[in-house]
Amino acid sequence: MKSLFKWLLIIGGAFFVLIIAAVIIIPQFVDINKYKPMIEQKVAEATGRSFTLGDEMDLSVFPWVGVKLTDLHLGNPDGYNQKDMVSVKNFEVRLKVMPLLSKKIEIKTFVLDGPAIYLEKLKNGKTNWEGLGKAQSKKADKTIKEPSSTKGLPIEDLMVGKFSITNGQLIYVDQGANVKKQISDLNLTLDNISLENPVGISFAAMIDGKPVSLEGTAGPIGKEPGKGIVAIDFVLKVLEQLEIKLKGNIIDALASQNFDLELAISSFSPRKLFAALNQSFPVQTKDPKALSALSLKTSLKGNPTSVSLSKGELKLDDSTIVFSAMAKEFLKPNLKFDLKLDEIDLDRYLPEPPAKEQTPTAAGTKSSKKIDYGPLRKLVLDGKVQIDKLKAHGAIVEKVDIHILAKKGIITIDPLGLNLYQGSVASKLVVNVQKNDPR
């Protein structure tokens, strides 16, 4: 019996060695290019579009299952400006074989170089992505079954060494609206991809010729994506003018969808931002230097039913607003806020007064349009505003204190207080819009 067991081990070991040797040696003698016409035909049948591959094709099996393809072209239907809807210069992926037996995915390389996607909408409304694989999808619909509910991922581990998309391009053209949008020089790199560690993200692109970049980390996502806490830490830069930092946690993204984030927008010039966009500044101000510096930082917490902002600070030129706010029951909505402004000169932000013109007026005419007070009847509001010093039309107002309440169509401002010309004003205002004629 021992002798038999020994020979079985020898034969089994030899057989395993032969399999491994075959897996390594066979790809060296198999010309994968012979299968190129068949691959092109199958993809063309599946998509309903022409499909071609370049001559440089490579296949490896062990220890890494690898595929390398070049010059992929998926064609457009007739009638569109570009010959290809999708093209790729180089594609390479290498996956390790042995860890698959333990439900572990270990990818050495995933590289997509020079992908270009062209999306076009004709004047008649037809798009080049319509009907993609339509004939096959009808057949497939008959056999699709609802997936059985499973817990977590069907894998134990995930590791990716190199993941990159380089020199990407996306073009969208709407012939009817005469619109063209383009994303070019798109580069994306993901580092340290796994289930148990944060993933490094580096993204850069030119959007209509304007630079945009994103750097940061996200994760870990865990073995049950959408559950638990996912930490994020991003820095977004736009047009070399605007920098936005977002850091915090996404909690139970698929269920409660809670978030707890810190938002910071570094000081930037709205005027320079519009100039970088080649757009005229939309606000006309008496002071040409007004709206030259803006920054914001705040903490955000919430879910799909409510949002709150705390520890907020907004700086506009020489003014600072400290604030907190809350919103819920968005259909009403139900709002609460507390604003404290140190000082502001409104005269800087007001437009130049228009030149007086003689315009004919129709005597005795009245507007017959009725005002809809419905939104005010739904509104629930509790807001406080405090301003240390305010200048408007040459008048200086100090110690402004306003508390406004709104509920069931009754709006109350109490107190309404301020100091003006060494005197003080204290008042109360109530507006009732429960009926069509407000009181």
Side-chain angles (χ1 to χ4, degrees), residues 217 230-235 244-250 259-264 298-300:
T217 59
V230 176
I232 62 172
D233 188 355
F234 293 141
V235 177
I244 302 172
K245 296 181 180 179
L246 191 64
K247 184 177 181 179
N249 298 314
I250 307 295
F259 56 87
D260 184 355
L261 304 169
E262 299 289 330
L263 171 68
T298 185
S299 299
L300 299 95

Side-chain angles (χ1 to χ4, degrees), residues 17-29 59-63:
V17 170
L18 286 172
I19 292 175
I20 298 301
V23 166
I24 296 174
I25 295 171
I26 288 174
Q28 307 300 322
F29 295 94
L59 174 66
S60 61
V61 179
F62 193 84

Side-chain angles (χ1 to χ4, degrees), residues 334-379:
N334 187 335
L335 306 174
K336 185 175 183 179
F337 65 84
D338 190 341
L339 307 179
K340 295 180 180 179
L341 169 63
D342 55 358
E343 60 179 344
I344 189 168
D345 182 358
L346 289 181
D347 290 339
R348 296 180 61 196
Y349 302 94
L350 295 175
E352 291 285 355
K356 293 183 178 180
E357 296 182 0
Q358 296 294 328
T359 56
T361 58
T365 58
K366 293 184 180 180
S367 173
S368 60
K369 186 177 181 181
K370 294 183 178 180
I371 299 175
D372 181 13
Y373 295 103
L376 287 177
R377 295 178 188 129
K378 295 179 182 179
L379 175 66

Side-chain angles (χ1 to χ4, degrees), residues 123-322:
K123 291 183 178 180
N124 60 10
K126 189 177 181 181
T127 62
N128 65 337
W129 59 87
E130 289 180 11
L132 195 63
K134 191 174 182 180
Q136 285 68 32
S137 63
K138 288 182 179 179
K139 296 178 182 178
D141 288 343
K142 298 178 181 179
T143 57
I144 290 178
K145 296 181 179 179
E146 290 293 326
S148 58
S149 58
T150 57
K151 255 194 171 182
L153 293 174
I155 60 173
E156 294 295 327
D157 199 7
L158 171 66
M159 293 180 63
V160 180
K162 180 181 180 182
F163 182 101
S164 65
I165 299 174
T166 58
N167 304 312
Q169 185 174 210
L170 172 63
I171 299 175
Y172 172 76
V173 175
D174 187 335
Q175 299 287 2
N178 195 25
V179 171
K180 181 178 180 180
K181 299 293 182 181
Q182 181 172 357
I183 300 175
S184 59
D185 298 330
L186 187 153
N187 293 279
L188 172 66
T189 302
L190 302 181
D191 295 321
N192 195 28
I193 300 177
S194 69
L195 300 178
E196 305 299 332
N197 296 299
V199 178
I201 301 172
S202 178
F203 170 84
M206 301 290 287
I207 300 180
D208 291 332
K210 307 297 190 298
V212 175
S213 66
L214 177 71
E215 301 282 342
T217 59
I221 63 172
K223 294 183 179 181
E224 295 185 56
K227 294 185 177 181
I229 298 174
V230 176
I232 62 172
D233 188 355
F234 293 141
V235 177
L236 173 65
K237 295 182 179 180
V238 181
L239 306 176
E240 300 177 348
Q241 297 289 335
L242 183 62
E243 181 178 284
I244 302 172
K245 296 181 180 179
L246 191 64
K247 184 177 181 179
N249 298 314
I250 307 295
I251 306 159
D252 291 333
L254 294 181
S256 60
Q257 300 176 17
N258 288 288
F259 56 87
D260 184 355
L261 304 169
E262 299 289 330
L263 171 68
I265 301 176
S266 300
S267 182
F268 71 101
S269 170
R271 293 184 179 272
K272 290 182 179 179
L273 180 62
F274 273 83
L277 288 168
N278 299 322
Q279 299 289 327
S280 59
F281 199 61
V283 181
Q284 299 297 321
T285 59
K286 187 181 295 185
D287 183 357
K289 294 183 179 179
L291 298 172
S292 293
L294 178 65
S295 66
L296 170 68
K297 61 179 180 180
T298 185
S299 299
L300 299 95
K301 292 184 179 180
N303 53 52
T305 61
S306 66
V307 178
S308 67
L309 289 77
S310 61
K311 298 181 289 185
E313 183 181 270
L314 173 68
K315 290 188 176 183
L316 174 63
D317 297 327
D318 300 324
S319 303
T320 300
I321 302 174
V322 178

